Amino acid sequence: GVSCSVNEYKQEVTGLQLSDRLLTGGLTPTLGALVALQSLDVSGNWLTGTVPLSLCELISLRSLDLSSNSFSGALLGGISAL
């Protein structure tokens, strides 16, 4: 599901819980536009490709679960430090 924060000025996505949804393909670099994202869980899917560099720009991100997918390539230090 999707978690959001709402105040009188804006609404922001703070969490994406997409585990075990049989998702295929890759993660879109546009995830980096979700500047308030604190938690991203895409575990247990069929995702492939590399992890987008734009995830390093998510300064609010505190929890990231990419497990049980088929990603390739190395994680950058900023992501692996989560």
Side-chain angles (χ1 to χ4, degrees), residues 35 37 55-62:
V35 296
L37 193 66
L55 292 185
C56 291
E57 299 169 11
L58 296 174
I59 59 172
S60 297
L61 192 63
R62 299 292 176 253

Side-chain angles (χ1 to χ4, degrees), residues 14-30:
T14 58
L16 290 175
Q17 168 62 305
L18 301 172
S19 61
D20 301 311
R21 301 286 175 104
L22 303 175
L23 299 175
T24 60
L27 288 178
T28 178
T30 57

Side-chain angles (χ1 to χ4, degrees), residues 4-65:
C4 298
S5 68
V6 179
N7 67 36
E8 60 187 89
Y9 301 109
K10 58 185 169 182
Q11 299 176 356
E12 297 178 307
V13 174
T14 58
L16 290 175
Q17 168 62 305
L18 301 172
S19 61
D20 301 311
R21 301 286 175 104
L22 303 175
L23 299 175
T24 60
L27 288 178
T28 178
T30 57
L31 284 171
L34 299 175
V35 296
L37 193 66
Q38 298 172 12
S39 175
L40 174 60
D41 183 355
V42 294
S43 62
N45 288 292
W46 298 93
L47 298 174
T48 58
T50 58
V51 176
L53 297 176
S54 61
L55 292 185
C56 291
E57 299 169 11
L58 296 174
I59 59 172
S60 297
L61 192 63
R62 299 292 176 253
S63 175
L64 176 65
D65 192 345

